[in-house]
Structures are given as C-alpha cells and as structure tokens.
Amino acid sequence: MSTSGALPVVDLAPFFTQDDEAGGVARATEAVREACRTHGFFRAVNHGVPPELMARALELSAAFFALPDEEKSKARPAEGSEAPLPAGYARQPANSADKNEYLLAFDPKLGFNVYPAEPAGFREAVEECYAKFTELGLLVQEILNECMGLPPGFLRDFNGDRGFDFMAALRYFPATEEESNNGLSAHEDGNCITFVIQDGVGGLEVLKDGEWVPAEPVEGSIIVNIGDVIQVLSNNKLKSATHRVVRKPVHRHSFAFFFNIHGDKWIEPLPEFTAKIGEAPRYRGFVFNEYQQLRMRNKTHPPSRPEDVVHITHYAI
C-alpha cells in the first residue's frame, strides 16, 4: 500500500493475473485490510474497469445533465415501479441542504431503469459501467472475506442477491455566495461497498482523525469505501468512514456504485468477531431494509437536532 495525496492506494493487479509467485495477492489483501481498518477508504488502481469506459461515462453524463430540465424530466421514475428506490432522473428538493441532481440505475436485467433518449450512447455506457462495477464488487467482497478471516465464500453466500445494488450518475451544482457549499452532507454509507469515479473538479472529502481529507481526482482510479454493513458484521474492526462532497465554483460530475445487500437480511456482528474471540457485540441486530428506511427519513424529514439523525451509532450497545 502506498499513498497518493492522502488516501491509501491499493494496486489490485495481482488479482487479475494467474501468477502469484511474488506474493502480490497477500500484499494487496493486507493493504485493503489496513486501509479499511484505518480510513474506511482507499484508491484502487489496476482494478479491471477500463479507464476509457469511465471517461466516456463521465463525459456522456455531463452531456445529459447539461440538457434543459424538460428534457431531463422525460427520464423521471416510472409510477408503480417495484424498484427498491425510484430509478431514473431526480434532483434534491429545493429545501434540501444537498445541492445535486442524479440519475439512478439498477441491474439492467431487472427492467427498472428509465433512460434518456439523449445523449446517444449514454444508456450503453451506464450499463457497461454497471456490469464492470458489479464484477469489481464481487472481487472486493472476496478480498474483504479474506481480510475478515471468514470461511471461504462466506460473504458471497451471505450476500448473493444482487437485486438491491444500484448506481447513481450525479451532478453537483456550483457553489454560490448565497448558499452553503454543501453538495452532499457528511454521512456514512449504509451499504457494503461503494465505488466512486469522478471528474477533475474534486470535492469529495473523508473524515480521518477529526480532519477532512480530500479524495483528490486521479485519472483512471476508483475510490472505494466500505459501508455500515461491513462495520457491523466486523463488530467495528473495519470502519465505515464519514465523508461529504463540498461544492466547487463549477459543476462536478461523478458516478457512485453501491454494492448492497438484500433488504430482508438480518445484520449483526458475526461470531468470528464476538463469541469466538470473547468480545461483546458492539451493535444490536437489525433488518437492513428497516435501517435504510430510517436513513431515508433523515432526508425527507430532517430532524431538528443533529443528534437525532439516524446512523449506525443508534444501534450501538
């Protein structure tokens, strides 16, 4: 593991080669373990997602968001959809502290997605990215399985339903003198693993030891972070880090892929991190979908006091 800027950098190349005589897989696994233990974030390079695909997706996403509002609105979520979240175009309410707009997509095979007619090639780029990020999610999940010392294939079997994964193309509005520079409020991700690709504007920041660390844009790299599910399963051995997006003077474009877990899953610290090592659970168990609904309520009905915002510490024992 090396550093570029402030986030740990992990080279995933050893996982894509057949020859591991030099022990590259073990070193890369240890780098992921250390990054997830200390930062909850790392920058992945040689990750198997073609850089030209990421660049094309960001370019086409910027072209979509530059369309007039009436054109973007044609891709609004379909009524009566059974998708876990509304698939299609939306923007944050005017009274929201978060100033961004987005297009949400699920696995194309599920039939939930609503795509714009323009720009040409946008749908194809989204679906290609989705497939590649799914592959990367499965790989990183296996790496985490090893990092956590779990039986081979445990996380794959525990989290085998890909129907709740989703991806968002996002545009953050430029900062203004009249508003705060908040693009996305400080939060932790509630899922398992998140992947972020971004343009050159910057603005993503990670909280580490009380300081905000910039996740600077580096062409061809992917920002990876673990979410609350992994933190709870590991009984706080791996960290779901607080992060935010700070608005800049110009629009910022990014894609975020959320490698999720089925809504009906019961989440609690695993025996490997509690009973088997003589440690008490740090969290009480919960049904994942109920937790997500409480988190969504934070956005639709923001509490008047910051301490009333629901996050994983509310399940701490």
Side-chain angles (χ1 to χ4, degrees):
M1 181 171 63
S2 61
T3 58
S4 172
L7 290 186
V9 177
V10 179
D11 187 346
L12 298 180
F15 297 100
F16 295 94
T17 61
Q18 300 299 318
D19 184 7
D20 188 40
E21 290 184 1
V25 166
R27 287 196 301 274
T29 300
E30 179 56 33
V32 171
R33 179 189 292 111
E34 182 65 11
C36 292
R37 189 184 66 81
T38 59
H39 288 72
F41 270 75
F42 62 91
R43 184 187 308 281
V45 298
N46 297 318
H47 40 63
V49 182
E52 60 274 15
L53 170 59
M54 297 190 295
R56 175 161 49 94
L58 286 166
E59 181 180 343
L60 290 168
S61 176
F64 165 69
F65 286 117
L67 293 173
D69 287 347
E70 58 267 26
E71 288 299 315
K72 290 183 287 191
S73 294
K74 294 177 181 178
R76 286 198 178 278
E79 291 188 13
S81 172
E82 295 181 358
L85 294 170
Y89 170 76
R91 64 192 300 165
Q92 299 293 347
N95 63 348
S96 172
D98 298 341
K99 304 300 180 183
N100 62 70
E101 57 185 339
Y102 54 92
L103 185 137
L104 210 65
F106 288 84
D107 185 336
K109 295 192 294 292
L110 299 175
F112 296 145
N113 295 338
V114 182
Y115 295 105
E118 299 293 337
F122 181 52
R123 173 176 182 165
E124 290 76 13
V126 166
E127 294 191 352
E128 285 182 54
C129 277
Y130 197 102
K132 287 296 184 180
F133 284 135
T134 299
E135 292 176 6
L136 183 58
L138 293 169
L139 171 62
V140 173
Q141 181 172 255
E142 288 300 308
I143 298 171
L144 289 175
N145 196 100
E146 179 67 20
C147 290
M148 296 165 72
L150 298 173
F154 176 88
L155 288 179
R156 181 179 65 243
D157 295 339
F158 180 77
N159 186 26
D161 188 323
R162 303 269 55 84
F164 280 68
D165 298 348
F166 64 94
M167 184 170 74
L170 297 116
R171 180 169 83 156
Y172 294 88
F173 299 118
T176 67
E177 294 183 0
E178 295 77 24
E179 300 174 319
S180 74
N181 64 352
N182 197 63
L184 190 60
S185 303
H187 67 287
E188 301 81 38
D189 289 349
N191 60 323
C192 296
I193 309 164
T194 303
F195 303 121
V196 173
I197 62 174
Q198 55 184 327
D199 61 15
V201 173
L204 176 61
E205 297 180 346
V206 181
L207 190 63
K208 173 72 166 66
D209 298 330
E211 300 289 335
W212 287 105
V213 176
E216 298 288 0
V218 176
E219 186 175 356
S221 69
I222 296 177
I223 302 296
V224 183
N225 66 279
I226 59 172
D228 292 346
V229 170
I230 299 298
Q231 177 168 310
V232 172
L233 293 178
S234 71
N235 205 31
N236 207 40
K237 295 295 189 294
L238 305 181
K239 310 297 183 185
S240 175
T242 303
H243 53 289
R244 68 183 184 184
V245 174
V246 176
R247 293 158 68 194
K248 301 295 185 178
V250 297
H251 285 103
R252 173 185 183 263
H253 300 88
S254 66
F255 277 84
F257 183 89
F258 299 92
F259 193 83
N260 224 328
I261 198 161
H262 194 280
D264 292 339
K265 274 288 185 182
W266 178 259
I267 308 299
E268 65 181 354
L270 295 172
E272 283 80 2
F273 300 99
T274 55
K276 291 184 179 180
I277 60 172
E279 290 192 11
R282 296 193 177 193
Y283 305 96
R284 55 187 171 89
F286 55 88
V287 176
F288 180 69
N289 200 41
E290 294 176 359
Y291 176 53
Q292 288 295 77
Q293 289 172 0
L294 290 172
R295 285 170 51 93
M296 290 298 294
R297 186 172 176 81
N298 288 342
K299 292 182 175 293
T300 58
H301 299 80
S304 57
R305 302 185 307 167
E307 58 267 31
D308 292 334
V309 175
V310 174
H311 45 71
I312 204 61
T313 57
H314 283 71
Y315 292 84
I317 297 175

